[in-house]
Amino acid sequence: MTSPGHQLNLSDDVEAAEWIRSRLRPPEQHIVASIMPTGFDAYARIFHPAHVPDHRAGLVRWFEVSRWSGVVMDSHVQWLKIALPQIPPTSPPPWRGQGPRAGSPFKSDVEALIEILADSTSTPKSCYFCVWTGHLGGGARYGSSGTSEILPPAPRPSRLVQFPWREYALYEGPLTCAASFEQISDWHELSPNLWWPSDRSWCVATPIDLPYSVVGGSTELIEHVLANETLEALSVEGDEPIAQGIDEWLAQLIEQATDEVLANGGANLSLALGTVRVTLEKSGLLGHRSIHSATAGANGTSSGGSPVRTRDPQHLRRQVHNEVRRAVVSLVSV
């Protein structure tokens, strides 16, 4: 398949990705090297900005959120840590809506990265791009004017790149195609999940469930990434965790709320971004129980819950704990 106006082609050459597989750490380690091949001189984490919905000029960088919350940005920083501080700030949060986009940076960041990467490879016209197959399902793409376009499912190659955690369609084309993938999906701005040049001088990884991308390459390349005025990036090591961590104060609060729900049937939490209410209720003549949660805050309201299908106290506690944690994390919209 060749995309009109671009030299982007589906590829069956899945062996081209084998070098990545051989240099990845096991996914259960949940570290940078689980998503980015080892062996590069240096690495950087590029943070996807938060944004004001339907207002491109309203992009909000993580350092602005860090300044608002008073939580210092460092190489270990996670969105939850800076967006949900222990001490409530005196001003409203600088972002609204969904927070940073997981799975794809904004196109302006991809374009800025392309300019840097082009000078660090001898094969800018020969690159590979992996796209998670879940992004190829078609659907409705909505434009800024409110109109929609129905997209058919994108063609798939006869062979897929298969890594331990996901399957990917493989594309080939010049480096500039990295900013052109929205045409194959219902995502308005879609970037590849893994991309690299034929000479393997660098690699970029954007997992679908993380609000940042990781780039590995030469020390000089990473220095240019860190110094770029468009991108927001920090250096990172291969053994640093990628999971969304919970600070000790918040973990204790969630444990206390879990105890209160189990003892009294409900608990209320008041946090920097709003409130969380979790209840354990009986319903119906048979006394079936269910867990419900509701959040309200600066970024809107949400609710959730699930039926209780266990009589085991430990299993029940785990289910209540998971619902309290989910509701708390939903306040930051990631």
Side-chain angles (χ1 to χ4, degrees):
M1 180 200 74
T2 301
S3 302
H6 299 278
Q7 299 170 292
L8 182 63
N9 301 286
L10 273 173
S11 175
D12 294 324
D13 183 21
V14 297
E15 288 78 12
E18 280 302 307
W19 72 278
I20 293 178
R21 181 198 300 276
S22 66
R23 288 164 55 174
L24 287 175
R25 295 290 181 261
E28 58 269 17
Q29 292 186 8
H30 299 292
I31 58 176
V32 170
S34 300
I35 62 172
M36 164 63 62
T38 58
F40 291 112
D41 294 335
Y43 300 87
R45 192 152 57 118
I46 301 174
F47 303 100
H48 303 170
H51 64 103
V52 176
D54 301 321
H55 192 342
R56 288 293 303 277
L59 295 181
V60 176
R61 297 290 174 176
W62 287 40
F63 83 88
E64 297 178 62
V65 180
S66 171
R67 184 170 55 189
W68 165 78
S69 66
V71 179
V72 177
M73 290 272 291
D74 58 28
S75 62
H76 300 284
V77 70
Q78 297 290 340
W79 174 250
L80 181 62
K81 291 179 179 290
I82 63 170
L84 194 61
Q86 182 175 8
I87 300 174
T90 57
S91 59
W95 84 98
R96 293 187 290 113
Q98 293 301 308
R101 177 189 294 159
S104 185
F106 279 86
K107 191 171 184 177
S108 57
D109 281 11
V110 176
E111 291 170 340
L113 185 56
I114 287 173
E115 291 188 15
I116 300 171
L117 296 173
D119 294 330
S120 296
T121 176
S122 61
T123 59
K125 294 185 178 180
S126 176
C127 295
Y128 291 94
F129 311 91
C130 282
V131 177
W132 176 51
T133 53
H135 285 151
L136 306 179
R141 178 171 63 194
Y142 293 89
S144 57
S145 62
T147 59
S148 65
E149 173 188 9
I150 302 299
L151 298 178
R156 299 190 182 199
S158 58
R159 302 174 68 196
L160 297 174
V161 173
Q162 296 182 334
F163 286 157
W165 55 92
R166 287 186 181 91
E167 294 182 332
Y168 300 91
L170 183 66
Y171 294 81
E172 292 183 77
L175 175 57
T176 52
C177 285
S180 305
F181 274 82
E182 71 275 2
Q183 62 191 304
I184 68 169
S185 174
D186 55 328
W187 276 51
H188 184 63
E189 291 187 358
L190 175 69
S191 72
N193 300 108
L194 278 167
W195 36 303
W196 67 94
S198 293
D199 66 5
R200 303 177 186 175
S201 55
W202 47 258
C203 185
V204 180
T206 305
I208 66 169
D209 50 0
L210 294 180
Y212 53 80
S213 301
V214 178
V215 56
S218 68
T219 301
E220 181 181 12
L221 167 63
I222 299 305
E223 288 176 349
H224 288 159
V225 170
L226 298 176
N228 186 268
E229 294 183 355
T230 297
L231 302 174
E232 182 180 34
L234 289 174
S235 61
V236 68
E237 300 294 333
D239 60 354
E240 292 189 22
I242 59 174
Q244 181 83 295
I246 295 285
D247 281 343
E248 183 177 353
W249 71 268
L250 188 55
Q252 291 178 354
L253 193 65
I254 291 172
E255 288 293 335
Q256 293 169 4
T258 300
D259 291 338
E260 188 173 349
V261 171
L262 293 171
N264 303 321
N268 294 306
L269 293 86
S270 181
L271 299 159
L273 289 181
T275 60
V276 173
R277 170 70 175 169
V278 180
T279 57
L280 179 61
E281 303 172 359
K282 291 184 178 181
S283 60
L285 296 177
L286 298 178
H288 293 154
R289 292 183 296 178
S290 58
I291 303 169
H292 298 278
S293 65
T295 64
N299 292 320
T301 62
S302 66
S303 61
S306 59
V308 175
R309 304 187 185 279
T310 180
R311 295 180 180 274
D312 186 304
Q314 291 185 342
H315 291 172
L316 175 60
R317 179 180 180 80
R318 188 178 306 116
Q319 186 176 355
V320 172
H321 179 277
N322 289 343
E323 183 58 31
V324 174
R325 188 184 191 281
R326 187 209 61 78
V328 168
V329 172
S330 72
L331 283 172
V332 301
S333 302
V334 170

